[in-house]
């Protein structure tokens, strides 16, 4: 049995007007606020990418896709996830599974869970049973609880 490696990640982005809300590569319809960032600010996909890179000890997405590079302006993070997969593959690893939690007060994201899992799984070449996405609120506490932004945590296992 080949040894496995585990990575962990956390990300957060601020909610602002005039931006689409994209999570796990899925645009949430009619969301009044979207996440602010250089790319599409898909906080869930960012956490998954950083967990994968972390499991391979290959730094983080800020290193591989710097904000200073114009080609990443408005980039679709779900497409960059495919590039992360190539990076970890080149280092000799293959993903086994990923699991993530999105911390969000509003809107309710449950109806979009499977669409997010499908997009993440497709980008990673994984089965749906190897991609977990969960949602929780922060019970009104702190900045995330006040709805000022959305955060995400993820773990990834590589072999
Ligand atoms: Mg981010």
């Amino acid at each position: 049995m080949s040894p496995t490696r585990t990575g962990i990640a956390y990300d957060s982005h601020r909610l602002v007007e005039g931006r689409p809300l994209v999570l796990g590569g899925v645009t949430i319809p009619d969301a009044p606020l979207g996440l602010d960032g250089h790319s599409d600010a898909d906080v869930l996909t960012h956490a998954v990418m950083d967990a994968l890179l972390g499991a391979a000890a290959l730094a983080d997405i800020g290193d591989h896709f710097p904000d200073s590079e114009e080609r990443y302006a408005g980039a679709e993070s779900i497409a960059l996830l495919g590039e992360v997969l190539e990076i970890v593959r080149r280092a000799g690893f293959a993903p086994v599974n990923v699991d993530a939690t999105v911390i969000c007060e509003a809107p309710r994201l449950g109806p979009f869970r499977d669409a997010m899992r499908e997009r993440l799984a497709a980008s990673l070449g994984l089965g749906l049973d190897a991609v977990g996405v969960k949602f929780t609120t922060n019970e009104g506490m702190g900045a995330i609880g006040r709805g000022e932004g959305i955060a995400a945590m993820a773990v990834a296992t590589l072999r």
Side-chain angles (χ1 to χ4, degrees):
M1 192 177 129
S2 58
T4 56
R5 306 265 298 237
T6 305
I8 187 174
Y10 171 88
D11 192 25
S12 62
H13 284 263
R14 193 177 289 275
L15 281 164
V16 294
E17 291 181 353
R19 297 261 304 178
L21 178 58
V22 182
L23 292 166
V26 175
T27 301
I28 308 302
D30 304 318
L33 303 173
L35 293 171
D36 196 22
H38 188 65
S39 66
D40 62 7
D42 181 342
V43 69
L44 168 56
T45 301
H46 289 183
V48 169
M49 287 162 49
D50 262 352
L52 289 161
L53 290 168
L58 289 170
D60 57 40
I61 54 175
D63 230 71
H64 293 274
F65 311 106
D67 278 5
S68 55
E69 283 193 27
E70 199 47 45
R71 68 191 176 110
Y72 299 124
E76 285 192 9
S77 299
I78 199 77
L80 299 181
L81 177 59
E83 293 190 34
V84 166
L85 178 63
E86 284 311 306
I87 291 166
V88 300
R89 275 184 177 159
R90 278 201 298 275
F93 298 105
V96 175
N97 79 298
V98 298
D99 183 32
T101 295
V102 179
I103 306 136
C104 173
E105 297 297 312
R108 290 191 63 82
L109 298 171
F112 305 100
R113 180 203 312 273
D114 286 344
M116 294 177 196
R117 293 174 62 219
E118 282 166 16
R119 289 223 68 188
L120 292 166
S123 288
L124 290 170
L126 286 172
L128 207 52
D129 62 349
V131 178
V133 174
K134 308 177 302 300
F135 307 109
T136 188
T137 70
N138 217 30
E139 297 284 341
M141 296 180 288
I144 300 293
R146 289 189 297 272
E148 293 173 20
I150 295 176
M153 304 173 71
V155 293
T157 304
L158 303 177
R159 60 175 162 76

